[in-house]
């Protein structure tokens, strides 16, 4: 079976597919040289006809159904090592090709960072960084921040990340408010 890594942002390849990961892919597939532009699809048309699997990351090249049929007619799956596939997946799915994303895995560090930033912000951490020199050198009055107990926090959206942040912050006693027109009342109630 043949595979190829496709992205129009080749600078992302070493971070997402470092050599040890490429070696693992090579143990499973005949891995072709990376594709970094639509022009390469045209130039390598013959070689790409036998590709079964595409690996990608941020910068996946969007292709039409016609381009898929012409350049990569045997592809059965796209493995996208990044988040949303919305901008490129429809023609692949309509062509009967499976599209897999790492959106859930990518959400984990975003949830951790967002939760940490909320807690730190309520403690005045970011404001104190900016004011630290003037506070100590100019004898500015001490500013107190509300902390996290019963402080109101607003989230825009309760998708994968929003729900993860809510669950991560449940051990605090924050008052969490969410705006998400697609969030059913029952799910909102279960989230608290």
């Amino acid at each position: 079976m043949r595979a190829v890594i496709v992205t129009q942002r080749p600078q992302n390849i070493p971070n997402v597919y470092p050599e040890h990961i490429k070696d693992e892919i090579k143990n499973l597939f005949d891995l072709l040289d990376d594709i970094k532009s639509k022009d390469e699809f045209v130039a390598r048309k013959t070689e790409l006809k036998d590709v079964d699997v595409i690996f990608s990351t941020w910068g996946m090249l969007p292709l039409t159904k016609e381009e898929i049929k012409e350049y990569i007619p045997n592809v059965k799956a796209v493995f996208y090592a990044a988040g949303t596939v919305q901008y490129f997946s429809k023609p692949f799915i309509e062509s009967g090709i499976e599209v897999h994303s790492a959106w859930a895995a990518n959400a984990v560090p975003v949830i951790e960072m967002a939760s940490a930033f909320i807690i730190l912000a309520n403690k005045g951490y970011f404001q104190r960084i900016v004011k630290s020199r003037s506070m100590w050198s100019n004898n500015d009055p001490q500013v107190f921040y509300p902390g996290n107990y019963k402080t109101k926090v607003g989230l825009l959206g309760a998708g994968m990340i929003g729900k993860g942040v809510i669950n991560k912050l449940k051990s605090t006693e924050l008052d969490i408010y969410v705006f998400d027109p697609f969030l059913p009342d029952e799910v909102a109630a279960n989230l608290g």
Side-chain angles (χ1 to χ4, degrees):
M1 291 180 71
R2 271 194 164 169
V4 66
I5 297 173
V6 177
T7 180
Q8 57 192 339
R9 295 186 201 160
Q11 69 274 16
N12 292 330
I13 293 173
N15 295 327
V16 180
Y17 298 102
E19 285 308 312
H20 72 280
I21 297 295
K22 277 190 167 185
D23 289 343
E24 287 185 39
I25 294 171
K26 287 175 187 175
N27 284 334
L28 300 170
F29 300 96
D30 173 18
L31 183 62
L32 304 177
D33 291 336
D34 306 336
I35 297 279
K36 301 170 192 127
S37 72
K38 272 201 180 175
D39 292 341
E40 288 187 55
F41 275 100
V42 176
R44 297 171 59 190
K45 184 177 177 178
T46 304
E47 176 187 25
L48 295 173
K49 284 204 179 279
D50 296 329
V51 168
D52 300 288
V53 175
I54 290 177
F55 291 92
S56 188
T57 187
W58 295 281
M60 171 62 181
L61 286 159
L63 299 170
T64 65
K65 283 172 53 175
E66 293 75 23
E67 289 170 326
I68 292 167
K69 187 175 181 177
E70 182 175 354
Y71 300 118
I72 48 172
N74 291 311
V75 167
K76 294 163 189 62
V78 175
F79 294 96
Y80 186 66
T84 184
V85 297
Q86 295 293 329
Y87 77 96
F88 75 85
S89 65
K90 189 175 179 181
F92 284 93
I93 293 167
E94 288 175 350
S95 298
I97 299 167
E98 293 182 17
V99 177
H100 303 273
S101 172
W103 63 273
N106 279 2
V108 172
V110 176
I111 291 165
E112 292 170 345
M113 288 292 289
S115 302
F117 283 175
I118 289 167
I119 290 169
L120 289 169
N122 288 331
K123 296 284 189 178
Y125 175 80
F126 301 106
Q127 298 89 332
R128 288 175 194 237
I129 287 174
V130 172
K131 293 183 177 186
S132 65
R133 289 188 180 162
S134 65
M135 282 175 53
W136 298 111
S137 61
N138 298 331
N139 292 323
D140 285 348
Q142 178 68 41
V143 177
F144 291 98
Y145 297 93
N148 291 299
Y149 182 74
K150 297 295 179 191
T151 298
K152 293 178 182 173
V153 172
L155 299 177
L156 298 176
M160 176 71 145
I161 292 170
K163 287 175 187 160
V165 169
I166 291 166
N167 287 324
K168 188 71 111 175
L169 294 176
K170 279 190 176 180
S171 64
T172 67
E173 296 223 17
L174 291 163
D175 290 333
I176 300 172
Y177 295 83
V178 174
F179 174 78
D180 187 333
F182 304 104
L183 182 66
D185 290 341
E186 183 181 313
V187 175
N190 288 338
L191 288 169

